[in-house]
Amino acid sequence: MHTQLHRIVSELGWRINGSAPTYERLHLALLPGLLGNVGCKSSDADPADRREPPYLGARSIKFHVWPGSPIARKAGRWIVAAELVETSRLFARTVAAIEPAWLEKAGGAPAQALGRRSALGENGRVRWSRSSARRSTGLLVYQQRRVNYGPIDPVAARTLFIREALVNGELDTRAPFMGHNRTLIRDIRELEHKARRPDVLVDEELIFAFYDRRVPASVTSGAEFERWRTQAERADARLLFLSREELMRHAAAGVTASLYPKSIAMGGLDMALSYHFEPGSPRDGATLTVPLYALNQVDADRCQWLVPGMLKEKAHLLLKSLPQKLRRHCVPLPEYAQGFVERWAASAAAQAAPEAARPMGLIDALIRDVREQVGIACTPADFKQESLPAHLTMNFKVVDEQGRQLAMGRNLASLQAELGTQARRQFQHLAESEAEPAALAQQPITDWDFRRDRAGASDPSRRSDAGGLSGAGRPGRPLHARSVRRSADCTQPPSRRAAAPVQAAAAPADPAPGAVAYAAADGPDPGFGGCRRCRPAVPSFEDLRDQVVGAAIDRTCLEEPWSVNREQFLARKDEARGKLNLIAQQIAGLLAAIVQDAAQLPKRLAASRSFTGRLRRRGAAAGAPFPEAFRRTDAGPRSCPTIRAT
């Protein structure tokens, strides 16, 4: 062989190498003709077999090193053999150890014939600065190495580049067109989630065709694309800008900001809304992002209404869940549901009520509307709310001050029971972190002098901002007859929690100042005079008088609908002027009769000789017939009958 090679080199006129070849250069010269005899030691040999594991060669063959070879026991991971001889087994003879990198240097076109090339990204996520490929074979030379795929297959490389880098937006570039196109596609996908229709955004093939018409055939990598784009945008700066018309199959006219708002005003806060269309997913439907400190201020009745764009479908399905004998009066149901939405929208507009301030829950509104329209009486139990799809119930995501999710679910009461204490604690900490709101919280409120919100209605809440968070504190329970103080948090709906105590505090300051003095004085009507004469049965006459005045205010001022601005508040005060005196005297007369009976009861019990132990306990109870606060704030005038029962 040496003689033949020497003769060929001499005929070609090549210069003979005068230095001795190195081990690497010698085997690099031999490898192109011996690629079929290259082997890699197997790693999945049987542990019970003490013999050397076989070598894996091209075309998935297995062979062993000839036992008489000097390196039979110390051959490396990669070897090349001069020949393969099959006797009892397939053996490799005249073996030498090699490095896998030599195969790439010596292979060239013959080495490519060993296997195939595949354009695969790393775990499906590739930063497409250039198309990449992995070269593999039945004899795995290397893997997970990225190479430029353009010179290997320019057509396939260009297709991959356009589809992954441009259509899917994987290209790492600061080009203006990329940010514009990404934002436009994201907005249209949001429209799909809001409309719950996956047919708004065009198919990816149309976007591919848009770029395919503009990008030259020579562009196969990010660097080549940037060079071409820089030149092309000098002639047309918006060459690669997609338009909304090119990306939308239809106009989606029913999806507007008014029907699908981005936030809901609740408890003095703007809470973000997001939409997701994925039936069966926990995020399906509308999701309200609730800061932890505002969790107790979420109005469950308001959340029943969802957003205007979803109201018709929910009303339709609620009406459909009615029993047949009730449902038949509302057919056709879609038209009735549409009419219900229009009637309530017109009613809200006529009352100049903001969208966030619904007068009642959706079920109660449907009951009232059915009664007014068709004269049929329904009850909440007639509506099978459990039959509604999940996306027609508001989803709540509770987040902390860093935006991390703490809990998510569609049961607001469950979330408030789980996190309500933490929410109240955080709100109080937020309010106490500011000196001015803390001072305002200690000031009595005797008039409707609150700020005005964006809709023009006075809001009895005061803002508290600290640490990037904001919240609203609302009036708490009355501390004395003519004022209230503010509390840091509220768990009841804001309309009831805020308006009622403020009216209770401010009403006695003006409407009938003579009522208290008249009711407390002795006169023809027993009034409080009877209570004065029965002093032993009434430990604190002044406290009892204040409670009677409070009960009278409850009956005259604390009635729905609640006042939401100063004009309504003053009208309620004027209306109460003619009632407060009469109501206070009626309650005082009732108390006088009870006190007189209570004053005689201990004497009668003492004269009785039966059941002495039980009568002694009854006598002790009769000695103090009135607790410290017989009038409960939440019960109002309805607690008066409990006095007679005592």
Side-chain angles (χ1 to χ4, degrees), residues 190-210:
E190 288 181 1
L191 291 179
E192 290 185 333
H193 287 294
K194 292 178 180 179
R196 303 186 65 80
R197 295 181 57 180
D199 61 346
V200 181
L201 184 65
V202 298
D203 189 80
E204 288 186 356
E205 293 300 326
L206 296 178
I207 305 177
F208 177 88
F210 171 84

Side-chain angles (χ1 to χ4, degrees), residues 21 64 155 237 306 324 342 369 373 472 484 533 551 595:
H64 296 263
V155 176
L306 297 177
Q324 195 275 337
E342 294 173 354
D369 189 78
Q373 298 298 319
V484 298
R533 290 188 291 270
V595 169

